[in-house]
Amino acid sequence: AVRDLLSRINPDEIRSIHEEMIDIIKRNRVFREGTIGGYVVAGLDGVELFSSTKKSCPNCLSRKKHTGETEYFYRSVVCMIIGKSPHVILGQEMLKPRDGSGKDEGELTGGKRLIEQLKKRHGHFADVIVADALYLNAPFINTLKENGLEGCPYKLRVVRYHEQWEENGKETERFMWLVTTLEAADYRVLWEMMHRRWDIEENGFHQLKTYYHAKHCYCRDAVETIFNLIIIGFNVRELYLYRRSRNFAGSGISRKSIKRIFCDELLTEKVKQILYEKGG
């Protein structure tokens, strides 16, 4: 019954609920002081949800394994606030399968479409977009410029970093390059933005797959609907922990422990204590 119901829901209805949540977050100026160096910074990256060599649907992407088998999978591009918590997911865009003899849609194409949709729906949703080397591509950079993101519309700035640290008792080093349209930003702020890009992996994708079961296919006819519902749940928890509950940030309690507390309280029907904790 649940599978049948989910397959009948229009994904646009769930997307609309999520968009209204982002509107409220913007209206309440949740990120008014910025997330890194005074800038509101969002990370953009692709995530694979799950795959199978047995089952497929018209919305699946496909690839050939080294064994010759065809593997079917779903992939989405996600945009999430990085740096200072809460790490709100602003939106996601499912990549589309090939139509006829063409190739499956790539991450860059989905990323550009997501940026354009977020700009159209929410206006200036971030000051800076951070992405990995895959996105160092003229059409993508032009998309950011055309949508009023990342400052200067004409020049690219390249910063070279030399990093040194100790690992297992040995000195380790590496060189990294950063390309940006932000001419005036301090190089230390840019360095932090570059490193905090991993928030989307560690605080986003890891959480979604490990604790929200985003890597499990509940219903192939409702993948986008379910993923958007999971994202809404993720955002609600982040906002509750870092905006409603004033003691979580410095408590040293993990999100995993909080999840267990929530589940225990719900099982014992102490819902009131969760919603209206003292001092919250």
Side-chain angles (χ1 to χ4, degrees):
V2 173
R3 288 166 59 89
D4 185 56
L5 173 63
L6 287 169
S7 64
R8 292 171 184 266
I9 295 176
N10 184 342
D12 291 338
E13 293 181 20
I14 307 302
R15 183 188 289 266
S16 178
I17 294 172
H18 176 255
E19 289 173 345
E20 290 171 9
M21 176 188 290
I22 301 303
D23 285 339
I24 293 171
I25 291 169
K26 280 196 67 185
R27 191 160 60 244
N28 290 342
R29 303 181 67 192
V30 171
F31 307 114
R32 60 185 174 275
E33 297 176 0
T35 58
I36 300 176
Y39 295 95
V40 177
V41 185
L44 191 74
D45 204 359
V47 58
E48 185 172 313
L49 302 179
F50 42 77
S51 62
S52 172
T53 57
K54 306 295 182 183
K55 297 180 181 180
S56 66
C57 76
N59 295 319
C60 287
L61 308 178
S62 62
R63 62 191 169 208
K64 286 286 185 182
K65 299 182 68 177
H66 68 278
T67 59
E69 286 183 294
T70 299
E71 187 173 36
Y72 303 96
F73 63 101
Y74 286 87
R75 190 169 181 82
S76 170
V77 180
V78 176
C79 185
M80 187 185 87
I81 294 294
I82 63 172
K84 190 187 298 180
S85 296
H87 296 108
V88 173
I89 295 177
L90 299 172
Q92 70 86 25
E93 183 66 21
M94 302 295 294
L95 300 188
K96 298 177 181 178
R98 67 190 71 189
D99 50 352
S101 60
K103 294 182 178 180
D104 286 340
E105 194 170 58
E107 193 174 314
L108 276 171
T109 302
K112 288 188 291 183
R113 189 167 66 245
L114 177 57
I115 291 296
E116 290 167 350
Q117 289 175 353
L118 289 172
K119 172 65 175 180
K120 183 178 179 180
R121 180 61 179 78
H122 303 294
H124 190 78
F125 62 91
D127 301 321
V128 178
I129 302 295
V130 182
D132 60 25
L134 173 67
Y135 292 86
L136 184 53
N137 167 284
F140 180 76
I141 293 173
N142 290 338
T143 297
L144 297 182
K145 293 177 184 177
E146 290 162 7
N147 285 278
L149 301 164
E150 290 210 11
C152 172
Y154 301 112
K155 297 179 181 179
L156 288 178
R157 174 184 175 191
V158 179
V159 185
R160 182 174 182 255
Y161 292 96
H162 180 202
E163 298 182 335
Q164 295 176 298
W165 69 96
E166 188 173 300
E167 187 174 316
N168 298 325
K170 296 182 179 179
E171 290 291 330
T172 306
E173 67 175 358
R174 67 180 172 191
F175 291 90
M176 300 185 72
W177 285 261
L178 178 146
V179 180
T180 181
T181 58
L182 289 172
E183 287 190 89
D186 187 273
Y187 71 91
R188 286 163 292 198
V189 172
L190 294 174
W191 180 86
E192 185 178 356
M193 289 180 183
M194 176 175 65
H195 278 271
R196 293 305 293 266
R197 189 193 69 80
W198 287 102
D199 280 344
I200 197 169
E201 293 278 355
E202 296 168 357
N203 292 302
F205 299 158
H206 172 72
Q207 293 284 324
L208 291 172
K209 288 186 174 184
T210 306
Y211 303 114
Y212 291 80
H213 308 290
K215 64 181 179 181
H216 178 72
C217 181
Y218 292 93
C219 176
R220 288 190 175 273
D221 294 329
V223 171
E224 186 169 3
T225 295
I226 294 169
F227 191 41
N228 280 328
L229 285 170
I230 288 172
I231 286 173
I232 289 171
F234 173 89
N235 283 348
V236 168
R237 187 200 63 175
E238 284 288 296
L239 290 166
Y240 174 79
L241 293 180
Y242 290 99
R243 297 289 293 180
R244 173 68 183 174
S245 178
R246 299 177 183 178
N247 302 320
F248 177 73
S251 68
I253 302 174
S254 68
R255 290 182 178 89
K256 185 176 180 180
S257 297
I258 287 291
K259 175 193 169 187
R260 288 173 177 166
I261 294 171
F262 280 9
C263 290
D264 291 344
E265 295 292 324
L266 286 170
L267 287 172
T268 56
E269 298 183 355
K270 295 179 181 178
V271 181
K272 187 180 293 186
Q273 291 187 20
I274 297 176
L275 296 178
Y276 305 103
E277 70 169 10
K278 186 176 180 181

